[in-house]
Amino acid sequence: RQRIAVLRSSLHLSAEPKSSLHGQLLLPPHTEGTFSQTLLLHSSDEDTPQSAIHIQGGPWTFFRCRTFSDGGVAYTVSNTGRFTAKRGIIGGESESSVAQTGVLVQGSSKVWLEGVKVQHAELVGLS
C-alpha cells in the first residue's frame, strides 16, 4: 500500500491543468485545507478495498476535482471528518475501472456534495 502523503496541519493545493496525484492521501484529525482542479487516481487490488482519500479531520473542500478509485473507495470520511465536494466527479474512471464505493461516511463525520457527479461506483453509502 503506497501513500502519497500523511498531512499534519493545513494544505491548500491548486493544481495546474492536466496535473494529477496517484496513490492515497490520509488527512488526519486537526488538518484542514482545499484542493482545486486536481485529478486524484487510486488503484486498490487488495481483498479489503482501500481509500483514495481518507478524511478524519477538516474541514476539507475539493473544488472541481476528479477522484477515481479502481476497485476501492474514492473518499472515506470518518471520526469527526468534514468534507465538501463542489462541481467534481467521484467514483470510477470508466466502466472497466469501477470504484467499490464513491463516498463512505462513518462515525459522526459530515459530508456535503454540491453539483457532484458520482459515476462508475457500486454504491455511495453510510456505514
Side-chain angles (χ1 to χ4, degrees), residues 10-84:
S10 64
L11 171 73
H12 300 280
L13 175 72
S14 181
E16 294 293 323
K18 298 185 180 182
S19 63
S20 62
L21 297 173
H22 299 259
Q24 291 181 289
L25 289 173
L26 173 61
L27 307 173
H30 312 295
T31 63
E32 64 181 48
T34 58
F35 284 78
S36 180
Q37 301 182 58
T38 307
L39 171 62
L40 301 128
L41 300 169
H42 170 259
S43 180
S44 180
D45 58 0
E46 300 176 25
D47 292 336
T48 304
Q50 301 297 311
S51 298
I53 300 174
H54 189 160
I55 298 170
Q56 299 173 331
W60 282 97
T61 301
F62 288 72
F63 180 71
R64 290 189 175 174
C65 291
R66 296 172 294 147
T67 303
F68 300 125
S69 178
D70 181 6
V73 179
Y75 290 93
T76 296
V77 187
S78 65
N79 298 333
T80 57
R82 289 171 292 154
F83 165 60
T84 301

Side-chain angles (χ1 to χ4, degrees), residues 15 24 63 95 97 100 120:
Q24 291 181 289
F63 180 71
E95 290 181 11
S97 176
Q100 182 186 47
H120 307 298

